[in-house]
Amino acid sequence: MVKEIERAGIPVVHVCTVVPISLTVGANRIVPAVAIPHPLGNPALEKAEEKKLRRKLVERALKALQTEVDKQTVFEN
């Protein structure tokens, strides 16, 4: 689905826990997530620390969304 949305001219960020799968399906902008059961958080962290982690992931995804890419790109930091 990611490729079809991109083909329509709408940029997409694939936030995922298993990067090789995203690469295999052809996602262009890939943001690695935390873990399979909790991709956008970590319930083991204190509330304030988890909020920082979530904000960092969302900001990374927004940066990826604004970045022009011509090949598959993994946004690690």
Side-chain angles (χ1 to χ4, degrees):
M1 182 180 295
V2 172
K3 289 173 76 173
E4 291 302 317
I5 295 171
E6 289 261 350
R7 210 175 317 234
I10 302 168
V12 175
V13 175
H14 196 217
V15 179
C16 65
T17 54
V18 185
V19 172
I21 293 174
S22 295
L23 292 168
T24 300
V25 298
N28 287 328
R29 294 172 187 83
I30 303 166
V31 172
V34 178
I36 290 173
H38 306 286
L40 294 176
N42 181 347
L45 296 175
E46 295 291 325
K47 186 176 180 179
E49 289 302 310
E50 186 176 26
K51 185 175 180 179
K52 285 181 189 177
L53 172 64
R54 289 179 179 209
R55 177 175 291 275
K56 180 180 172 183
L57 287 167
V58 170
E59 287 175 351
R60 187 177 305 150
L62 289 172
K63 178 183 174 195
L65 191 61
Q66 297 173 30
T67 303
E68 195 68 36
V69 296
D70 57 358
K71 62 179 180 162
Q72 290 182 302
T73 306
V74 179
F75 293 83
E76 299 276 349
N77 293 320

